[in-house]
Short mmCIF file of all heavy atoms in Angstrom, two decimals:
data_model
loop_
_atom_site.label_atom_id
_atom_site.label_comp_id
_atom_site.label_asym_id
_atom_site.label_seq_id
_atom_site.Cartn_x
_atom_site.Cartn_y
_atom_site.Cartn_z
N MET A 1 100.71 140.42 93.88
CA MET A 1 100.10 140.00 95.12
C MET A 1 98.96 139.01 94.78
O MET A 1 98.29 139.11 93.71
CB MET A 1 99.43 141.21 95.89
CG MET A 1 98.24 141.85 95.24
SD MET A 1 97.73 143.35 96.03
CE MET A 1 98.96 144.46 95.40
N PHE A 2 98.60 138.09 95.54
CA PHE A 2 97.54 137.04 95.51
C PHE A 2 97.08 136.78 96.92
O PHE A 2 97.88 136.98 97.95
CB PHE A 2 97.89 135.86 94.77
CG PHE A 2 99.13 135.21 95.40
CD1 PHE A 2 98.90 134.22 96.29
CD2 PHE A 2 100.40 135.49 95.01
CE1 PHE A 2 99.96 133.47 96.97
CE2 PHE A 2 101.49 134.85 95.66
CZ PHE A 2 101.26 133.87 96.56
N PHE A 3 95.90 136.33 97.10
CA PHE A 3 95.36 136.04 98.40
C PHE A 3 94.92 134.69 98.61
O PHE A 3 94.32 134.29 99.70
CB PHE A 3 94.20 136.99 98.67
CG PHE A 3 94.60 138.48 98.66
CD1 PHE A 3 94.57 139.25 97.52
CD2 PHE A 3 95.19 138.98 99.84
CE1 PHE A 3 95.00 140.56 97.62
CE2 PHE A 3 95.60 140.32 99.94
CZ PHE A 3 95.51 141.08 98.79
N ASP A 4 95.07 133.82 97.58
CA ASP A 4 94.75 132.38 97.61
C ASP A 4 96.05 131.62 97.17
O ASP A 4 96.44 131.71 96.02
CB ASP A 4 93.62 132.13 96.76
CG ASP A 4 93.24 130.57 96.77
OD1 ASP A 4 93.98 129.76 97.29
OD2 ASP A 4 92.13 130.24 96.26
N ASN A 5 96.67 130.92 98.09
CA ASN A 5 97.97 130.31 97.79
C ASN A 5 97.79 129.19 96.68
O ASN A 5 98.69 128.95 95.93
CB ASN A 5 98.54 129.62 99.00
CG ASN A 5 99.17 130.65 99.98
OD1 ASN A 5 99.06 131.80 99.66
ND2 ASN A 5 99.78 130.14 101.03
N ASN A 6 96.63 128.65 96.52
CA ASN A 6 96.34 127.63 95.52
C ASN A 6 96.64 128.23 94.09
O ASN A 6 96.98 127.51 93.23
CB ASN A 6 94.97 127.01 95.61
CG ASN A 6 94.79 126.02 96.80
OD1 ASN A 6 95.77 125.41 97.13
ND2 ASN A 6 93.71 126.10 97.40
N ILE A 7 96.38 129.55 93.92
CA ILE A 7 96.58 130.21 92.77
C ILE A 7 98.06 130.10 92.33
O ILE A 7 98.48 129.80 91.25
CB ILE A 7 96.08 131.69 92.68
CG1 ILE A 7 94.59 131.64 92.76
CG2 ILE A 7 96.60 132.46 91.56
CD1 ILE A 7 93.92 133.05 93.01
N LEU A 8 98.88 130.39 93.40
CA LEU A 8 100.38 130.28 93.17
C LEU A 8 100.85 128.88 92.79
O LEU A 8 101.59 128.65 91.94
CB LEU A 8 101.06 130.75 94.37
CG LEU A 8 102.62 130.74 94.19
CD1 LEU A 8 103.25 131.78 93.37
CD2 LEU A 8 103.34 130.60 95.53
N TYR A 9 100.36 127.91 93.60
CA TYR A 9 100.79 126.64 93.41
C TYR A 9 100.39 126.09 91.94
O TYR A 9 101.21 125.37 91.34
CB TYR A 9 100.13 125.61 94.42
CG TYR A 9 100.58 125.97 95.77
CD1 TYR A 9 99.63 125.86 96.83
CD2 TYR A 9 101.81 126.34 96.16
CE1 TYR A 9 99.93 126.15 98.16
CE2 TYR A 9 102.15 126.73 97.45
CZ TYR A 9 101.26 126.60 98.53
OH TYR A 9 101.59 126.97 99.78
N ASN A 10 99.16 126.47 91.47
CA ASN A 10 98.88 126.14 90.07
C ASN A 10 99.70 126.81 89.13
O ASN A 10 100.13 126.22 88.12
CB ASN A 10 97.38 126.48 89.89
CG ASN A 10 96.80 126.10 88.55
OD1 ASN A 10 96.82 127.05 87.66
ND2 ASN A 10 96.42 124.96 88.36
N PHE A 11 99.99 128.14 89.39
CA PHE A 11 100.92 128.90 88.47
C PHE A 11 102.32 128.22 88.38
O PHE A 11 102.78 128.09 87.21
CB PHE A 11 100.91 130.31 89.01
CG PHE A 11 101.83 131.21 88.26
CD1 PHE A 11 101.61 131.64 87.00
CD2 PHE A 11 103.07 131.52 88.86
CE1 PHE A 11 102.44 132.39 86.35
CE2 PHE A 11 103.95 132.44 88.21
CZ PHE A 11 103.66 132.91 86.93
N LEU A 12 102.87 127.92 89.51
CA LEU A 12 104.17 127.27 89.55
C LEU A 12 104.17 125.94 88.65
O LEU A 12 105.10 125.71 87.93
CB LEU A 12 104.63 126.98 90.97
CG LEU A 12 104.96 128.28 91.78
CD1 LEU A 12 105.33 127.82 93.14
CD2 LEU A 12 106.07 129.05 91.25
N TYR A 13 103.16 125.18 88.83
CA TYR A 13 103.00 123.90 88.00
C TYR A 13 103.03 124.25 86.62
O TYR A 13 103.80 123.59 85.81
CB TYR A 13 101.80 123.12 88.43
CG TYR A 13 101.53 121.97 87.60
CD1 TYR A 13 102.26 120.72 87.89
CD2 TYR A 13 100.69 122.01 86.57
CE1 TYR A 13 102.02 119.61 87.05
CE2 TYR A 13 100.48 120.82 85.77
CZ TYR A 13 101.11 119.72 86.08
OH TYR A 13 100.93 118.51 85.23
N ARG A 14 102.26 125.21 86.16
CA ARG A 14 102.13 125.53 84.75
C ARG A 14 103.33 126.09 84.14
O ARG A 14 103.76 125.78 83.04
CB ARG A 14 100.97 126.44 84.53
CG ARG A 14 99.57 125.87 84.69
CD ARG A 14 98.37 126.69 84.37
NE ARG A 14 98.15 127.77 85.39
CZ ARG A 14 98.36 129.02 85.21
NH1 ARG A 14 98.68 129.52 84.05
NH2 ARG A 14 98.12 129.97 86.12
N ILE A 15 104.11 126.98 84.86
CA ILE A 15 105.34 127.64 84.26
C ILE A 15 106.42 126.58 84.23
O ILE A 15 107.27 126.67 83.34
CB ILE A 15 105.66 128.91 85.03
CG1 ILE A 15 106.09 128.66 86.47
CG2 ILE A 15 104.53 129.91 84.88
CD1 ILE A 15 106.77 129.91 87.11
N ARG A 16 106.59 125.78 85.32
CA ARG A 16 107.53 124.76 85.14
C ARG A 16 107.38 123.81 84.10
O ARG A 16 108.31 123.38 83.53
CB ARG A 16 107.63 123.89 86.52
CG ARG A 16 107.91 124.72 87.85
CD ARG A 16 109.10 125.62 87.79
NE ARG A 16 109.37 126.27 89.00
CZ ARG A 16 110.05 127.42 89.15
NH1 ARG A 16 110.28 128.17 88.06
NH2 ARG A 16 110.24 127.96 90.45
N GLU A 17 106.10 123.42 83.87
CA GLU A 17 105.81 122.60 82.68
C GLU A 17 106.31 123.22 81.40
O GLU A 17 106.59 122.41 80.37
CB GLU A 17 104.27 122.33 82.70
CG GLU A 17 103.83 121.21 81.80
CD GLU A 17 102.36 120.95 81.88
OE1 GLU A 17 101.56 121.95 81.87
OE2 GLU A 17 101.91 119.78 81.99
N LYS A 18 106.29 124.52 81.26
CA LYS A 18 106.68 125.20 80.16
C LYS A 18 108.21 125.61 80.03
O LYS A 18 108.70 126.32 79.18
CB LYS A 18 105.87 126.51 79.95
CG LYS A 18 104.33 126.16 79.69
CD LYS A 18 104.13 125.39 78.48
CE LYS A 18 102.67 125.14 78.26
NZ LYS A 18 102.35 124.27 77.01
N GLY A 19 108.98 125.10 81.07
CA GLY A 19 110.40 125.27 81.05
C GLY A 19 110.88 126.60 81.76
O GLY A 19 112.01 126.90 81.52
N ILE A 20 110.05 127.21 82.54
CA ILE A 20 110.48 128.33 83.25
C ILE A 20 110.97 127.86 84.64
O ILE A 20 110.20 127.47 85.55
CB ILE A 20 109.42 129.45 83.40
CG1 ILE A 20 108.91 129.93 82.15
CG2 ILE A 20 109.84 130.60 84.31
CD1 ILE A 20 107.70 130.75 82.11
N THR A 21 112.33 127.91 84.85
CA THR A 21 112.85 127.16 86.01
C THR A 21 113.53 128.21 86.94
O THR A 21 114.05 127.70 88.05
CB THR A 21 113.92 126.21 85.61
OG1 THR A 21 114.97 126.84 84.80
CG2 THR A 21 113.32 125.15 84.65
N VAL A 22 113.57 129.49 86.72
CA VAL A 22 114.18 130.46 87.56
C VAL A 22 113.32 130.58 88.92
O VAL A 22 112.17 130.21 88.86
CB VAL A 22 114.30 131.87 87.05
CG1 VAL A 22 115.26 131.84 85.79
CG2 VAL A 22 112.91 132.45 86.70
N PRO A 23 113.90 130.93 90.09
CA PRO A 23 113.24 131.02 91.28
C PRO A 23 112.12 132.01 91.16
O PRO A 23 112.16 133.01 90.48
CB PRO A 23 114.23 131.54 92.24
CG PRO A 23 115.60 131.11 91.70
CD PRO A 23 115.37 131.24 90.20
N VAL A 24 110.98 131.73 91.89
CA VAL A 24 109.89 132.72 91.93
C VAL A 24 109.49 133.08 93.42
O VAL A 24 109.40 132.19 94.21
CB VAL A 24 108.60 131.92 91.34
CG1 VAL A 24 107.31 132.83 91.44
CG2 VAL A 24 108.89 131.56 89.83
N LEU A 25 109.52 134.31 93.63
CA LEU A 25 109.20 134.85 95.00
C LEU A 25 107.74 135.27 94.97
O LEU A 25 107.32 136.11 94.24
CB LEU A 25 110.08 136.07 95.30
CG LEU A 25 111.56 135.78 95.73
CD1 LEU A 25 112.33 135.46 94.58
CD2 LEU A 25 112.01 136.98 96.48
N PRO A 26 106.90 134.61 95.86
CA PRO A 26 105.60 135.05 95.97
C PRO A 26 105.55 136.44 96.65
O PRO A 26 106.30 136.77 97.59
CB PRO A 26 105.00 134.03 97.00
CG PRO A 26 105.92 132.85 97.07
CD PRO A 26 107.31 133.48 96.77
N GLY A 27 104.66 137.25 96.03
CA GLY A 27 104.43 138.60 96.62
C GLY A 27 103.19 138.72 97.58
O GLY A 27 102.15 138.46 97.04
N ILE A 28 103.40 138.93 98.87
CA ILE A 28 102.24 138.82 99.76
C ILE A 28 102.01 140.32 100.29
O ILE A 28 102.94 140.99 100.73
CB ILE A 28 102.64 138.00 100.98
CG1 ILE A 28 102.90 136.57 100.47
CG2 ILE A 28 101.53 137.98 102.02
CD1 ILE A 28 101.62 135.98 99.91
N MET A 29 100.73 140.67 100.24
CA MET A 29 100.34 142.00 100.66
C MET A 29 99.47 141.95 101.93
O MET A 29 98.32 141.32 101.89
CB MET A 29 99.51 142.75 99.61
CG MET A 29 98.72 143.93 99.96
SD MET A 29 99.76 145.35 100.34
CE MET A 29 99.89 145.93 98.68
N PRO A 30 100.04 142.30 103.05
CA PRO A 30 99.22 142.45 104.27
C PRO A 30 98.24 143.56 104.17
O PRO A 30 98.65 144.69 104.11
CB PRO A 30 100.17 142.67 105.38
CG PRO A 30 101.56 142.44 104.87
CD PRO A 30 101.48 142.74 103.37
N VAL A 31 96.94 143.31 103.99
CA VAL A 31 95.99 144.40 103.84
C VAL A 31 95.59 144.86 105.22
O VAL A 31 94.90 144.19 106.00
CB VAL A 31 94.72 143.85 103.09
CG1 VAL A 31 93.61 144.88 103.06
CG2 VAL A 31 95.18 143.42 101.62
N THR A 32 95.84 146.17 105.59
CA THR A 32 95.70 146.66 106.86
C THR A 32 94.65 147.71 106.93
O THR A 32 94.39 148.32 108.06
CB THR A 32 96.99 147.16 107.42
OG1 THR A 32 97.45 148.16 106.53
CG2 THR A 32 98.02 146.00 107.60
N ASN A 33 93.93 148.12 105.82
CA ASN A 33 92.85 149.00 105.83
C ASN A 33 91.98 148.88 104.71
O ASN A 33 92.29 148.22 103.68
CB ASN A 33 93.41 150.40 106.01
CG ASN A 33 94.01 150.98 104.67
OD1 ASN A 33 93.37 151.10 103.66
ND2 ASN A 33 95.28 151.05 104.66
N LYS A 34 90.76 149.21 104.93
CA LYS A 34 89.62 148.86 103.90
C LYS A 34 89.90 149.54 102.61
O LYS A 34 89.63 149.01 101.52
CB LYS A 34 88.39 149.31 104.50
CG LYS A 34 87.11 148.70 103.77
CD LYS A 34 85.86 149.13 104.69
CE LYS A 34 84.57 148.50 104.03
NZ LYS A 34 83.44 148.83 104.80
N LYS A 35 90.49 150.78 102.61
CA LYS A 35 90.68 151.44 101.31
C LYS A 35 91.61 150.65 100.35
O LYS A 35 91.46 150.91 99.15
CB LYS A 35 91.35 152.88 101.63
CG LYS A 35 90.36 153.79 102.39
CD LYS A 35 91.09 155.15 102.64
CE LYS A 35 90.08 156.04 103.30
NZ LYS A 35 90.74 157.40 103.68
N GLN A 36 92.57 149.97 100.89
CA GLN A 36 93.42 149.12 99.89
C GLN A 36 92.69 148.18 99.07
O GLN A 36 93.14 147.81 97.98
CB GLN A 36 94.51 148.26 100.75
CG GLN A 36 95.53 149.10 101.49
CD GLN A 36 96.40 148.28 102.38
OE1 GLN A 36 96.12 147.99 103.50
NE2 GLN A 36 97.50 147.81 101.80
N ILE A 37 91.46 147.69 99.46
CA ILE A 37 90.73 146.66 98.80
C ILE A 37 90.35 147.28 97.39
O ILE A 37 90.49 146.61 96.39
CB ILE A 37 89.55 146.15 99.62
CG1 ILE A 37 89.95 145.70 100.92
CG2 ILE A 37 88.86 145.16 98.72
CD1 ILE A 37 90.89 144.51 100.91
N ALA A 38 89.78 148.44 97.46
CA ALA A 38 89.38 149.03 96.20
C ALA A 38 90.52 149.23 95.26
O ALA A 38 90.36 148.94 93.97
CB ALA A 38 88.63 150.36 96.44
N ARG A 39 91.66 149.66 95.76
CA ARG A 39 92.86 149.87 94.85
C ARG A 39 93.38 148.59 94.30
O ARG A 39 93.71 148.56 93.15
CB ARG A 39 93.92 150.61 95.64
CG ARG A 39 93.65 152.05 96.04
CD ARG A 39 94.93 152.76 96.45
NE ARG A 39 95.49 152.23 97.56
CZ ARG A 39 95.29 152.66 98.78
NH1 ARG A 39 94.37 153.56 98.96
NH2 ARG A 39 95.99 152.03 99.80
N ILE A 40 93.37 147.50 95.16
CA ILE A 40 93.81 146.26 94.70
C ILE A 40 93.00 145.73 93.47
O ILE A 40 93.45 145.27 92.52
CB ILE A 40 93.76 145.28 95.81
CG1 ILE A 40 94.92 145.53 96.76
CG2 ILE A 40 94.09 143.82 95.38
CD1 ILE A 40 94.78 144.88 98.18
N GLY A 41 91.66 145.78 93.63
CA GLY A 41 90.74 145.29 92.62
C GLY A 41 90.80 146.02 91.40
O GLY A 41 90.85 145.54 90.29
#
């Protein structure tokens, strides 16, 4: 999971540059309660 899409776009650029060409599915986590934040961090 990530919460800033720019992190993913930068990651995709870097891995493609290194020859990793397989599809990449972004993992999105809808945070629906405050307790999840502590676990995520």
Side-chain angles (χ1 to χ4, degrees):
M1 71 188 80
F2 57 91
F3 297 93
D4 180 350
N5 286 1
N6 288 323
I7 290 171
L8 177 79
Y9 299 141
N10 180 265
F11 174 72
L12 290 176
Y13 174 81
R14 287 185 287 115
I15 66 170
R16 299 311 188 207
E17 192 177 46
K18 296 300 181 182
I20 299 172
T21 60
V22 297
V24 177
L25 282 75
I28 299 297
M29 166 73 84
V31 176
T32 56
N33 68 74
K34 197 173 183 178
K35 291 181 180 179
Q36 287 176 275
I37 305 301
R39 291 200 297 270
I40 289 167

